[in-house]
Amino acid sequence: MNITQFSVEEILDPTNIIEGKRYEFLLDVEVDEEDELYSAAGLEIRVIVGVIEENVRIVNYFIMDKANNEFLDFALEEDEEAEILAICKEELFADSTEIEEQ
């Protein structure tokens, strides 16, 4: 799995029901041709990440085939989830460091 680009946006909770913060990551992903998830157009993974203090976890994710905009009913492998979580953590904490330095 190769993440080619991503974007992140905070999900606001005007009701304050959700503890901590939530972020939505949109990841553009390429996978090997031998992988069962392979699509020539690539995949997009929508990842909802929850943050409570320093604890970051994947709340949910959805995999979409970019060729036909259909959601795929597949689960990521543990190492793929760990890779995505590491990227999300790195991005979230890099932003907070930049804010503190200003």
Side-chain angles (χ1 to χ4, degrees):
M1 179 173 74
N2 181 32
I3 298 171
T4 58
Q5 63 182 359
F6 69 91
S7 64
V8 62
E9 185 174 323
E10 184 175 359
I11 301 172
L12 300 177
D13 175 22
T15 62
N16 291 320
I17 293 173
I18 299 173
E19 184 180 359
K21 292 186 177 188
R22 294 286 187 269
Y23 297 89
E24 176 184 51
F25 283 80
L26 295 176
L27 310 170
D28 285 340
V29 178
E30 294 175 347
V31 296
D32 292 331
E33 289 184 30
E34 295 82 29
D35 194 307
E36 62 186 327
L37 289 176
Y38 175 76
S39 170
L43 302 173
E44 181 177 82
I45 303 177
R46 178 181 177 219
V47 182
I48 306 299
V49 175
V51 179
I52 299 175
E53 297 179 15
E54 301 266 331
N55 183 20
V56 181
R57 65 182 179 92
I58 294 176
V59 175
N60 205 347
Y61 63 84
F62 307 93
I63 305 170
M64 187 174 71
D65 185 340
K66 289 171 55 174
N68 53 18
N69 291 328
E70 289 185 9
F71 288 98
L72 304 176
D73 190 21
F74 285 94
L76 296 171
E77 295 178 6
E78 283 185 30
D79 62 327
E80 293 170 329
E81 281 189 34
E83 179 181 350
I84 288 172
L85 184 57
I87 290 168
C88 294
K89 282 181 180 180
E90 181 179 313
E91 181 62 24
L92 291 173
F93 291 122
D95 285 348
S96 66
T97 303
E98 290 175 12
I99 292 169
E100 289 174 8
E101 290 176 355
Q102 292 179 356

